[in-house]
Amino acid sequence: MTARLSVVDEIFLRTHRGMGTPIVLQGVWRTAERVPVGVLWALREGLRTGELGRRVRSARVPGARRAWVRNVRGLPLTLYGVLPVAGLLDWADARGAELDPARGPGWRLAYAPLADGGAVVSLTCSHVLADGRALVLAADRALRGVAGAVEVLPLDARSDWGDARRQWGVVLDGTARAGWERLRRGVSGPAAHRATGPLTAPALLQPVAPVTQRSIPRRALPADRGPRLRTSPVPPDTTATVTLVAQSPLATWDSIAEEHKGTPNSLFVALIAHTLWELGHHRDELTASLPVDTRAEPRVDNDLAVTALRITRTDTPADLREKARAAYEYRMTSPAGIPEQILQVLPDRWAHTLAAGAGERDILCSNIGPLPASIGALGPSRCTGMAARAIHPGLRPDRLPRTRLSGYLCHLGGEYTLALVSLEPERTRAELSAALLRAAEPFGLPLTPW
């Protein structure tokens, strides 16, 4: 993490402010037993004092990048009443509200016991603070009691002036070079728009059934002094999207991928594409967005690029393995060769217009990869499943992005967990589940929905 926001950070900040698809990352633990409140409190304290403990400071000089400042104030640990197992995902889908990466805090921890004797824990984080891999790192360090350093800037206007000069220098020089190169080559007409930045993945929110909560005076539990128990029903969300989580044995998934001469990742991409076709999409070719982790060292920040590949109905996991290998060599870049820093010196609405739809394709396939062993238990409570995904609080049905279906894959211990999101308001979770199982059947892939 650097002391100033990256281009990707600022794209996510604009989406948080309503310019694009808002994105909140979420880790959902499902445990076999109740989780002691002391364990949850220790996790919250580790997150509060770790690398998520920061917020955005606006620059004082036009063209200077926004910066990070320390913020150790945390939202309360929120404890809910007992949930029916069938209401687990609806509850998790609604946990993305109240996050503010500019004023802080930009993350939140919540807990609910389940009627089957287990429990569910939700950790949500604004995408401004971290990408999927970074949120896993933050949770791992908090569970192990290892807090990483947070690099922030002092409130010094001189550093803003220096940063503005550098930013404008890069933008003006790069734009001039891009213009000259275009004239030299005699290119006419607008260049293809390939904007750097994250995929604006589709919304995952679903209307939430009211949950009965235990009663406690809210004034008795200040934000940084203790857990808060919800005293009112969970309000329904109006975003008309559908989510699904399913698990599959790791050894079986890997062996099936090998039988098809593919990789676990290419099998994942094939599964998401065929699920969309099973939902009734008739085009024989789809385009997938693939986020790529670009960090050279474990840092809690947004360190990703995006690539894309085309998928046909006849593509096998082996075909997609080769296509993905080639696609990773060609990542999306800024428009017409203009430096990506132009998105940081322009006013937010102009920058949003320039980068609108960056990375959006028919499907999103985000492979978050292996989760560390520390994630596998919350104190004495064994984790039976862990879903890592994105949710999109406040996304309106009339402002949906191009992406129709998103998939998020991770694995912990001996299980893969697949999280799906459909951006078609007319769908139901039952329809999404049936389409996924039909898509998995030709591969012989067993899936168990949550």
Side-chain angles (χ1 to χ4, degrees):
M1 187 196 77
T2 61
R4 291 193 182 271
L5 273 67
S6 69
V7 173
V8 175
D9 295 336
E10 297 213 19
I11 289 176
F12 285 128
L13 183 60
R14 287 191 290 272
T15 65
H16 179 84
R17 293 174 173 174
M19 290 172 276
T21 305
I23 304 177
V24 168
L25 300 178
Q26 184 180 49
V28 183
W29 285 268
R30 187 171 178 179
T31 64
E33 305 89 21
R34 303 287 198 254
V35 181
V37 174
V39 172
L40 298 170
W41 183 253
L43 173 57
R44 176 190 177 275
E45 288 299 286
L47 294 166
R48 184 179 66 83
T49 58
E51 291 142 300
L52 297 183
R54 64 187 194 275
R55 65 175 180 82
V56 176
R57 170 178 74 82
S58 295
R60 292 166 170 75
V61 179
R65 292 170 293 172
R66 296 175 173 94
W68 296 109
V69 295
R70 196 79 173 108
N71 179 68
V72 294
R73 183 173 63 88
L75 291 168
L77 167 62
T78 312
L79 307 178
Y80 289 77
V82 177
L83 290 172
V85 174
L88 186 160
L89 286 178
D90 289 341
W91 176 87
D93 290 347
R95 304 278 66 81
E98 300 181 11
L99 305 182
D100 190 343
R103 297 180 181 177
W107 61 274
R108 181 165 215 156
L109 193 67
Y111 168 81
L114 295 174
D116 65 356
V120 57
V121 177
S122 164
L123 170 59
T124 48
C125 172
S126 169
H127 211 327
V128 182
L129 297 178
D131 59 25
R133 173 50 54 179
L135 185 60
V136 171
L137 290 170
D140 169 52
R141 290 169 180 173
L143 287 166
R144 292 189 294 112
V146 179
V150 177
E151 187 176 353
V152 298
L153 284 181
L155 300 178
D156 182 0
R158 290 174 297 180
S159 66
D160 282 352
W161 280 109
D163 191 66
R165 284 194 296 270
R166 286 188 293 271
Q167 287 285 98
W168 280 112
V170 169
V171 169
L172 294 175
D173 181 65
T175 302
R177 288 176 182 271
W180 170 251
E181 184 67 17
R182 186 168 176 176
L183 286 173
R184 187 180 67 82
R185 293 181 179 180
V187 177
S188 61
H193 179 75
R194 298 190 302 157
T196 292
L199 291 172
T200 49
L204 303 175
L205 291 177
Q206 173 102 355
V208 179
V211 180
T212 302
Q213 314 298 341
R214 291 176 287 176
S215 178
I216 187 169
R218 185 169 295 184
R219 289 181 300 173
L221 298 171
D224 288 323
R225 294 185 180 272
R228 187 173 79 190
L229 292 89
R230 297 294 299 197
T231 60
S232 59
V234 178
D237 194 282
T238 58
T239 305
T241 54
V242 182
T243 68
L244 179 69
V245 175
Q247 291 183 218
S248 183
L250 183 146
T252 304
W253 186 298
D254 288 356
S255 66
I256 290 173
E258 186 175 357
E259 288 172 10
H260 287 82
K261 296 181 172 53
T263 64
N265 187 59
S266 67
L267 177 59
F268 164 53
V269 174
L271 184 62
I272 302 303
H274 282 276
T275 300
L276 186 62
W277 278 315
E278 289 293 340
L279 285 170
H281 287 255
H282 302 296
R283 286 189 293 117
D284 290 331
E285 183 177 84
L286 302 174
T287 306
S289 287
L290 307 180
V292 183
D293 183 1
T294 55
R295 53 180 48 83
E297 58 186 55
R299 295 189 304 268
V300 177
D301 59 4
N302 283 301
D303 202 336
L304 74 161
V306 176
T307 189
L309 60 84
R310 295 184 181 277
I311 306 170
T312 67
R313 290 181 185 267
T314 58
D315 281 337
T316 65
D319 297 327
L320 295 179
R321 177 182 188 174
E322 296 306 313
K323 286 186 175 184
R325 182 179 296 169
Y328 289 139
E329 300 298 321
Y330 298 96
R331 291 157 190 187
M332 297 183 190
T333 61
S334 54
I338 297 172
E340 63 181 17
Q341 288 85 350
I342 195 171
L343 299 177
Q344 294 179 292
V345 301
L346 292 176
D348 280 342
R349 293 200 176 276
W350 293 9
H352 166 61
T353 299
L354 184 62
E360 292 179 9
R361 298 296 185 267
D362 301 309
I363 58 175
L364 163 67
C365 303
S366 179
N367 190 343
I368 297 169
L371 304 182
S374 62
I375 301 289
L378 295 173
S381 305
R382 178 176 54 88
C383 179
T384 59
M386 172 67 175
R389 60 179 194 166
I391 59 177
H392 304 260
L395 180 64
R396 289 167 36 181
D398 60 344
R399 293 187 178 180
L400 300 177
R402 168 182 168 180
T403 310
R404 297 293 85 200
L405 183 67
S406 291
Y408 304 88
L409 186 70
C410 62
H411 63 85
L412 177 65
E415 293 281 327
Y416 279 103
T417 303
L418 173 67
L420 284 186
V421 184
S422 171
L423 233 82
E424 298 175 323
E426 68 276 12
R427 300 293 178 190
T428 66
R429 185 168 290 140
E431 288 177 316
L432 183 58
S433 178
L436 173 64
L437 295 177
R438 289 196 302 271
E441 185 177 2
F443 299 110
L445 183 65
L447 290 165
T448 304
W450 278 16

